Amino acid sequence: ASLSSAPRWFYSGDELSRRPERGALCAITGRTRLVVDDGDGARAEYDIDVRLPGAHNRANLAAAIAAAIELGVPVEALLGAIPSLSLPKGRFERLTLAGTNVIYDAYNASATGTMASLDAFSDEPSARRIVVLGGMAELGGESEALHERVGAHAAARVDWLLAGGPFATATIRGAKNAGLPAEHIVEYETNRDAAAWIREHARGDDLVLLKGSRAYRLEEIVEELRRS
């Protein structure tokens, strides 16, 4: 199919307040509505069921739908696939371990990705939200500042923070400066230590997020909890 000269925009959010002045638009509002505007006055709305967690994943879905439409795929052919979409293993993967509800999201981690995961985590219903931040690798000279920023981002979204890895001190400093009480912050030395803390302190109505770069092997926490 030939691509049009006008841009096709994509959007995801709670509501659609405006449309671009030029070009077509594909928008997902909330988790239940798809709006397709061809830019020439024709607009259609569809009921959808988006089960992907996180606003960032819904934005990715809106982009994929816009690209498919641009390439000539009928919207109707896309609607049936939306409810069945799921993330790859290791991406916001839901597990029950040692009687605890766990989200394993440690396939890899960047600063923006970690903050997006924390945003999605904050939308999850639970009595308490406990995050294990194992650290982010290969960030160069920005490592300390980005870990501090992630710690600050976590402070408003979790009840407990466990921080490990070589930049745990920066993560903790960011969380403390952003208002998370010191008594709700734990620095752990090894993944086994983090698993032991979860085993001892997490309750059945809590939710635990494991987030970190592959270099820090947070799957070891999963393996430890499976032995419980």
Side-chain angles (χ1 to χ4, degrees):
S2 60
L3 301 182
S4 64
S5 57
R8 182 178 296 273
W9 304 94
F10 66 91
Y11 167 85
S12 175
D14 292 333
E15 60 182 24
L16 181 60
S17 57
R18 55 173 296 189
R19 67 169 311 282
E21 295 180 2
R22 176 175 174 267
L25 173 68
C26 174
I28 293 175
T29 57
R31 294 174 179 267
T32 61
R33 204 72 176 157
L34 171 65
V35 178
V36 178
D37 187 327
D38 71 358
D40 293 320
R43 175 185 173 119
E45 298 192 19
Y46 305 88
D47 292 324
I48 57 174
D49 180 13
V50 181
R51 301 177 186 179
L52 297 174
H56 59 303
N57 285 318
R58 292 191 289 277
N60 290 337
L61 175 58
I65 293 173
I69 294 172
E70 186 74 8
L71 291 171
V73 180
V75 178
E76 291 75 13
L78 303 171
L79 297 178
I82 292 174
S84 65
L85 294 174
S86 60
L87 299 176
K89 188 175 181 180
R91 302 279 194 185
F92 224 79
E93 183 179 359
R94 299 175 189 272
L95 307 169
T96 302
L97 304 168
T100 301
N101 296 312
V102 174
I103 295 175
Y104 175 66
D105 192 15
Y107 176 84
N108 217 331
S110 64
T112 54
T114 299
M115 289 188 285
S117 292
L118 286 165
D119 289 341
F121 185 54
S122 69
D123 288 335
E124 295 286 331
S126 65
R128 298 183 303 175
R129 295 182 188 88
I130 301 167
V131 64
V132 179
L133 295 179
M136 302 172 293
E138 301 175 354
L139 297 180
E142 295 297 313
S143 292
E144 188 153 341
L146 289 173
H147 280 83
E148 187 169 342
R149 183 180 173 190
V150 163
H153 197 79
R157 293 162 176 80
V158 305
D159 300 290
W160 281 85
L161 165 65
L162 280 67
F167 295 97
T169 300
T171 303
I172 290 170
R173 181 170 59 249
K176 285 182 177 178
N177 289 343
L180 188 64
E183 60 269 23
H184 285 198
I185 299 173
V186 177
E187 183 174 1
Y188 67 89
E189 291 294 326
T190 69
N191 289 332
R192 180 172 291 182
D193 294 335
W197 190 97
I198 293 168
R199 191 182 299 114
E200 181 177 354
H201 295 282
R203 305 189 300 248
D205 54 357
D206 292 338
L207 187 61
V208 178
L209 171 65
L210 307 180
K211 184 64 179 176
S213 288
R214 287 289 304 118
Y216 303 118
R217 299 185 59 83
L218 294 195
E219 70 273 12
E220 292 176 349
I221 298 176
V222 174
E223 293 163 3
E224 284 289 330
L225 292 174
R226 278 183 173 148
R227 296 190 186 103
S228 301

